[in-house]
């Protein structure tokens, strides 16, 4: 989608890891490493293997540090599109459910008001059809499986994302797509905006 001396923005397909896994070597990182050799790609953020959509990679250490700081300060704007397996009771709002790893059932996460880390998601309903709903998610924090848990949990939307084999039911894919990303270019200070339409 975009590439210059400091930044690369790509559209990651569902089913491809952001970085290599324990048993899977193929990833965005490994493919870019082969293309850019001897330069090493610097992954700034990750998407779950099953999630498709926008991913930003730094080409220099300076760019990596600058954009990573934007993620930490939450000045990066992110929007995901998801297809839910049910119709939520409302048309939008915020979900504030703290999350931690489920140590007895990894890699699942769980809501934990005692030991969980703050997880906050803003959402809005886009459309409904045949008992399913399309929504936009705006994660204000970046916890593992945050959107999946906030969709599925009874205290959240109580509507698992279609294809979520951890918190709902498996399908041909996870219907979750990183659709919009906005951040400040580390060198030019221009505000960059990228949009990728979901294919569902």
């Amino acid at each position: 989608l975009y590439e210059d001396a400091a930044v690369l923005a790509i559209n990651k397909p569902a089913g491809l890891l952001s970085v290599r896994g324990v048993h899977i070597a193929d990833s965005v990182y490994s493919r870019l490493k082969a293309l850019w050799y001897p330069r090493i790609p610097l992954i700034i953020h990750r998407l779950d293997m099953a999630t498709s959509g926008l991913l930003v990679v730094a080409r220099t250490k300076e760019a990596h540090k600058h954009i990573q700081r934007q993620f930490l300060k939450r000045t990066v704007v992110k929007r995901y599109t998801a297809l839910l397996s049910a119709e939520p009771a409302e048309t939008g709002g915020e979900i504030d459910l703290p999350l931690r790893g489920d140590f007895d059932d990894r890699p699942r996460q769980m809501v934990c008001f005692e030991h969980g880390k703050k997880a906050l998601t803003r959402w809005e309903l886009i459309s409904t059809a045949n008992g399913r709903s399309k929504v936009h998610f705006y994660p204000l924090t970046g916890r593992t499986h945050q959107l999946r848990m906030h969709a599925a949990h009874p205290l959240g939307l109580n509507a698992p994302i279609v294809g979520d084999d951890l918190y709902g039911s498996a399908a041909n894919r996870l219907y979750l797509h990183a659709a919009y990303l906005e951040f400040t270019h580390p060198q030019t200070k221009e505000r960059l905006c990228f949009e990728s339409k979901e294919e569902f």
Side-chain angles (χ1 to χ4, degrees):
L1 293 175
Y2 177 89
E3 184 172 12
D4 65 14
V7 177
L8 171 70
I10 63 168
N11 196 20
K12 183 188 90 63
L16 180 65
L17 287 170
S18 298
V19 297
R20 68 174 294 150
V22 176
H23 304 293
I24 303 172
D26 188 28
S27 64
V28 170
Y29 175 82
S30 62
R31 291 182 186 188
L32 288 177
K33 187 177 178 183
L35 282 173
W36 289 359
Y37 182 83
R39 180 181 288 169
I40 303 295
L42 301 168
I43 303 294
I44 300 166
H45 65 118
R46 301 179 187 186
L47 296 176
D48 287 347
M49 180 177 184
T51 303
S52 59
L54 293 167
L55 190 68
V56 175
V57 180
R59 295 175 63 91
T60 67
K61 289 181 180 179
E62 295 77 17
H64 181 267
K65 184 176 181 180
H66 191 283
I67 301 172
Q68 195 171 55
R69 191 180 306 119
Q70 292 180 59
F71 273 93
L72 291 172
K73 290 183 175 180
R74 299 179 187 165
T75 60
V76 175
V77 178
K78 297 174 283 183
R79 186 187 78 224
Y80 289 73
T81 302
L83 184 65
L84 304 184
S85 57
E87 296 182 15
E90 299 179 14
T91 59
E94 284 191 354
I95 304 165
D96 187 359
L97 294 174
L99 302 175
R100 71 165 177 85
D102 185 341
F103 305 124
D104 298 321
D105 192 11
R106 292 182 183 274
R108 289 172 62 96
Q109 303 293 302
M110 61 186 292
V111 171
C112 179
F113 291 98
E114 186 177 357
H115 301 293
K117 293 182 179 179
K118 185 171 183 64
L120 184 63
T121 304
R122 188 163 53 88
W123 70 280
E124 60 183 345
L125 180 66
I126 304 305
S127 63
T128 59
N130 304 316
R132 292 181 170 181
S133 306
K134 186 174 282 192
V135 299
H136 282 163
F137 282 127
Y138 301 86
L140 304 179
T141 54
R143 305 299 174 208
T144 300
H145 295 177
Q146 175 175 317
L147 301 181
R148 296 166 72 172
M149 276 297 296
H150 281 179
H153 198 275
L155 295 176
L157 297 182
N158 198 27
I161 297 172
V162 173
D164 190 342
D165 59 354
L166 286 177
Y167 309 105
S169 301
N172 62 315
R173 63 158 290 176
L174 176 67
Y175 284 72
L176 179 62
H177 182 76
Y180 181 84
L181 197 60
E182 180 182 327
F183 61 95
T184 301
H185 192 282
Q187 294 175 340
T188 68
K189 309 308 179 192
E190 176 189 1
R191 196 69 179 168
L192 298 178
C193 306
F194 302 102
E195 192 156 11
S196 169
K197 177 71 176 168
E198 70 278 3
E199 296 182 354
F200 55 80

